Amino acid sequence: SQKIEQNSEALNIQEGKTATLTCNYTNYSPAYLQWYRQDPGRGPVFLLLIRENEKEKRKERLKVTFDTTLKQSLFHITASQPADSATYLCALAGGSYIPTFGRGTSLIVHP
Amino acid sequence: GAGVSQSPSNKVTEKGKDVELRCDPISGHTALYWYRQSLGQGLEFLIYFQGNSAPDKSGLPSDRFSAERTGGSVSTLTIQRTQQEDSAVYLCASSLVVLAEGETQYFGPGTRLLVL
């Protein structure tokens, strides 16, 4: 069955460092992959989308890579700030219109 | 411009009661989704509406769950004879067009349902 894995353990990093979050998937051929941010008590907020034929996407301090051979996406936040502390979700969508979400990884940036 | 809104924000009910959750999507968005998020779990797809097409109900966990979308706008998710395992955050999202084209979903703040 299709499976999306995100590290369930919280990632703790120091302010100013680069945070790297991982999204692995199996039994899936996604057409694109999205990353969302979710704060406690709020709905997810879209951050970036990367398509299967793209290797890398950037937006300000964010960078996403997509390796369809490794079946993995990496999400990087450079020069991290305490305000970046949140849960980050990856979501994959194939030929259907229904994205499958991972459980998310909590990021904690310490000042 | 207004985002996706949901009401109520919190709902506490007794086991066996029916509940109705409401979603107001972004004006002009043709696609509307309902998800459920339990503690420590990923978002679980429930149902999808696209324009005037028949909804995709493939994610509904049981026949106690149903949803309607009136006039292509507001949607109501109804849970009949609620059970304790129905306790979760129910999230609604809308998008301008079908996600298969790579559209972004915009989520509401969710309704936190607690079944006692």
Side-chain angles (χ1 to χ4, degrees):
Chain A
S1 60
Q2 295 172 344
K3 198 173 179 183
I4 298 175
E5 290 183 352
Q6 292 188 258
N7 198 338
S8 58
E9 289 185 14
L11 176 63
N12 286 273
I13 64 167
Q14 209 62 35
E15 182 176 9
K17 301 291 187 183
T18 295
T20 299
L21 305 175
T22 305
C23 177
N24 295 300
Y25 59 93
T26 55
N27 298 323
Y28 212 126
S29 296
Y32 61 85
L33 184 148
Q34 297 176 318
W35 282 89
Y36 288 79
R37 168 183 173 142
Q38 187 173 23
D39 290 281
R42 314 286 283 269
V45 174
F46 170 79
L47 297 175
L48 280 170
L49 177 150
I50 186 165
R51 300 184 189 279
E52 61 177 334
N53 59 349
E54 297 175 317
K55 296 290 187 188
E56 183 179 296
K57 209 69 164 299
R58 290 175 185 261
K59 180 182 176 183
E60 297 173 352
R61 295 185 295 112
L62 309 180
K63 185 178 86 171
V64 173
T65 62
F66 195 9
D67 189 327
T68 54
T69 301
L70 290 178
K71 295 187 183 297
Q72 180 182 79
S73 174
L74 298 178
F75 177 77
H76 305 273
I77 305 176
T78 58
S80 60
Q81 305 165 1
D84 295 327
S85 298
T87 296
Y88 291 85
L89 308 171
C90 72
L92 281 72
S96 78
Y97 37 73
I98 302 168
T100 303
F101 283 80
R103 294 184 180 187
T105 298
S106 176
L107 171 66
I108 302 169
V109 181
H110 299 275
Chain B
V4 177
S5 61
Q6 292 185 245
S7 61
S9 54
N10 292 281
K11 177 71 177 179
V12 180
T13 191
E14 292 179 348
K15 178 181 171 182
K17 300 283 189 184
D18 297 352
V19 295
E20 281 190 355
L21 312 179
R22 176 187 168 107
C23 172
D24 281 271
I26 293 173
S27 178
H29 280 195
T30 60
L32 186 147
Y33 301 73
W34 282 98
Y35 293 89
R36 178 168 69 176
Q37 187 174 35
S38 303
L39 191 63
Q41 302 296 313
L43 273 69
E44 175 189 4
F45 165 75
L46 297 177
I47 189 169
Y48 160 76
F49 296 89
Q50 169 58 36
N52 296 320
S53 302
D56 181 336
K57 305 179 183 180
S58 60
L60 295 178
S62 77
D63 57 9
R64 296 186 296 104
F65 288 72
S66 63
E68 289 184 340
R69 188 178 185 191
T70 55
S73 181
V74 172
S75 177
T76 302
L77 177 69
T78 301
I79 309 173
Q80 295 178 308
R81 306 181 301 282
T82 52
Q83 304 294 312
Q84 289 180 331
E85 61 262 29
D86 298 335
S87 298
V89 177
Y90 290 81
L91 289 159
C92 173
S94 70
S95 64
L96 190 56
V97 292
V98 179
L99 278 182
E101 299 172 7
E103 268 294 317
T104 301
Q105 285 182 303
Y106 295 86
F107 282 85
T111 293
R112 282 144 197 82
L113 174 66
L114 176 61
V115 182
L116 301 176

